Amino acid sequence: MRKQIAAANWKMNLTYQQGAELLKTILSADISLNENQIALFAVPFPYLELANDTVHQKKNYYAAAQNCSDKKSGAYTGEISAEMLKSLDVPYCLVGHSERREYFGETNEILSGKVAICLTYGLTPVFCCGEALKIRDQNAQNSFVEQQLRESLFHLSAEQILNVVIAYEPIWAIGTGKTASTAQAQEMHAFIRSVLQKQFGKEVAGQISILYGGSVKANNAKELFACPDVDGGLVGGASLVASDFMEIIRALK
Ligand code: 13P
């Protein structure tokens, strides 16, 4: 059975002290995850060691980075490499969040390099995709997302893609309070799985976790996660409030 994942993306929020407190509160709650459930915390780089140390107490809770470089190492001031993350025992890394694409010029081609280097160093990339409102208004979301997948993931082998998590995050739903309907989410997730199936086969596609992101809240997570092709969520705003994110973890299938 594929993994069901509740992933927090703190983005550029919280001080170290606030982050430590939030993690402590969430991890002290009595929420035990079963074999196929995972809780992830994508925290700012300087908090990764703290997050890793804190989550180690509990089964299936993991830290994640929010980004890494597509370069192996060298004169790239301010960048963080996949190898550095691995040396801190960080197991997951977000790749290609729409905010990285929009504000930092990350293209599908650059992201294909980021996915590859994560896999080289044994990190699981959480590859983000999703369309802007303009694309959805033209009803072109399927071909847009397919191109993102094709250009960033289709160089992988079937064995490699099994170590990738996908997050579908429609940009119009991020931070807007405007969540995709369960029908819209399920339709896109089923489409993404069909694209993966064509490239990697049915058995492989059936094992890949596809998370939904975009205004996931404590009061809509259960309904969204109940969709057959939605395997959890990537959560921004609501992951900064302990009680809300705890509720979202509890909503996992
Ligand atoms: P919100 O949950 O704040 O809409 O953010 C979603 C997101 O971008 C998670 O990566």
Side-chain angles (χ1 to χ4, degrees):
M1 197 179 169
R2 57 182 176 256
K3 303 283 187 207
Q4 304 296 309
I5 303 173
N9 177 8
W10 290 2
K11 309 190 181 185
M12 197 174 74
N13 291 298
L14 307 175
T15 62
Y16 184 84
Q17 289 76 14
Q18 290 166 333
E21 191 60 36
L22 177 60
L23 277 175
K24 200 172 103 193
T25 309
I26 294 171
L27 284 149
S28 61
D30 186 21
I31 311 173
S32 45
L33 300 174
N34 68 30
E35 266 325 303
N36 70 304
Q37 295 173 327
I38 289 176
L40 281 186
F41 297 87
V43 303
F45 288 128
Y47 311 168
L48 276 169
E49 227 177 339
L50 164 82
N52 237 357
D53 287 349
T54 312
V55 298
H56 268 144
Q57 322 152 10
K58 286 184 83 159
K59 195 176 123 214
N60 288 358
Y61 285 75
Y62 298 102
Q66 296 178 10
N67 179 36
C68 70
S69 173
D70 59 329
K71 309 287 193 298
K72 187 178 177 309
S73 63
Y76 301 103
T77 303
E79 287 292 270
I80 305 283
S81 72
E83 188 177 22
M84 291 172 186
L85 297 173
K86 191 59 191 177
S87 71
L88 285 173
D89 277 332
V90 174
Y92 289 84
C93 183
L94 306 188
V95 170
H97 191 282
S98 60
E99 289 147 17
R100 302 285 327 163
R101 294 173 185 265
E102 185 177 350
Y103 307 130
F104 302 97
E106 297 193 356
T107 61
N108 291 344
E109 192 189 345
I110 291 171
L111 297 174
S112 105
K114 292 195 178 196
V115 168
I117 204 152
C118 280
L119 293 171
T120 299
Y121 287 101
L123 291 160
T124 300
V126 178
F127 176 77
C128 306
C129 58
E131 80 288 352
L133 185 59
K134 200 167 121 226
I135 307 272
R136 182 153 287 256
D137 283 345
Q138 294 160 0
N139 201 25
Q141 65 273 13
N142 285 11
S143 57
F144 183 85
V145 170
E146 180 168 1
Q147 190 173 353
Q148 290 182 319
L149 300 171
R150 186 180 296 282
E151 293 183 1
S152 298
L153 299 180
F154 276 22
H155 62 294
L156 302 177
S157 66
E159 197 186 328
Q160 287 175 313
I161 193 84
L162 284 171
N163 293 315
V164 175
V165 171
I166 292 176
Y168 168 62
E169 299 203 302
I171 296 168
W172 45 270
I174 295 178
T176 58
K178 193 174 168 213
T179 320
S181 67
T182 50
Q184 285 171 321
Q186 170 55 26
E187 190 182 11
M188 177 56 86
H189 283 230
F191 173 72
I192 291 172
R193 208 176 295 290
S194 76
V195 170
L196 296 171
Q197 182 173 328
K198 265 186 267 162
Q199 177 71 9
F200 300 104
K202 190 173 166 82
E203 206 191 312
V204 169
Q207 290 179 61
I208 298 173
S209 302
I210 307 176
L211 317 186
Y212 167 79
S215 298
V216 174
K217 304 290 176 202
N219 64 8
N220 61 22
K222 201 156 188 88
E223 196 187 3
L224 284 161
F225 298 174
C227 298
D229 286 292
V230 176
D231 306 310
L234 180 55
V235 187
S239 75
L240 302 174
V241 180
S243 55
D244 287 3
F245 194 62
M246 276 148 45
E247 205 53 39
I248 290 168
I249 299 174
R250 286 197 186 95
L252 287 174
K253 281 200 279 274

